[in-house]
Amino acid sequence: MRKRFTARKIAIYGCMLFGFAMLESPLVLMANKIEPMVMGIPFFLVWNLVWWGFLTAVFLYAYLTNWGSAKAPSTTDNR
């Protein structure tokens, strides 16, 4: 059986990869600065918190839409 990738799954995977790339790639060196301070927090920590929040929202959306399951759950009660 061939896996089917919908536009939603591709968007979720893309957002996950983008978020992880912004946290773990050498691009993080652009944000590795103490100044400017954002609300009294060094910019590097704000950078990490923003991308962590982005990934948390993406994973929550993925969980709520059952993106990993082969078939979406039925809303009817089949007893």
Side-chain angles (χ1 to χ4, degrees):
M1 185 167 101
R2 186 172 177 229
K3 283 192 174 184
R4 219 171 138 217
F5 289 104
T6 62
R8 179 183 295 165
K9 283 186 180 184
I10 293 171
I12 290 171
Y13 282 125
C15 286
M16 285 178 188
L17 288 174
F18 180 71
F20 282 126
M22 295 307 284
L23 277 174
E24 302 298 332
S25 73
L27 291 174
V28 78
L29 295 176
M30 292 186 316
N32 194 7
K33 298 180 171 114
I34 293 177
E35 295 290 333
M37 300 285 267
V38 179
M39 295 186 294
I41 302 172
F43 183 71
F44 181 68
L45 293 177
V46 173
W47 176 275
N48 283 319
L49 286 173
V50 166
W51 289 111
W52 179 83
F54 172 77
L55 284 172
T56 301
V58 169
F59 282 117
L60 177 65
Y61 176 75
Y63 171 75
L64 293 176
T65 58
N66 295 324
W67 68 281
S69 64
K71 185 177 178 184
S74 164
T75 57
T76 61
D77 191 12
N78 295 329
R79 290 184 190 193

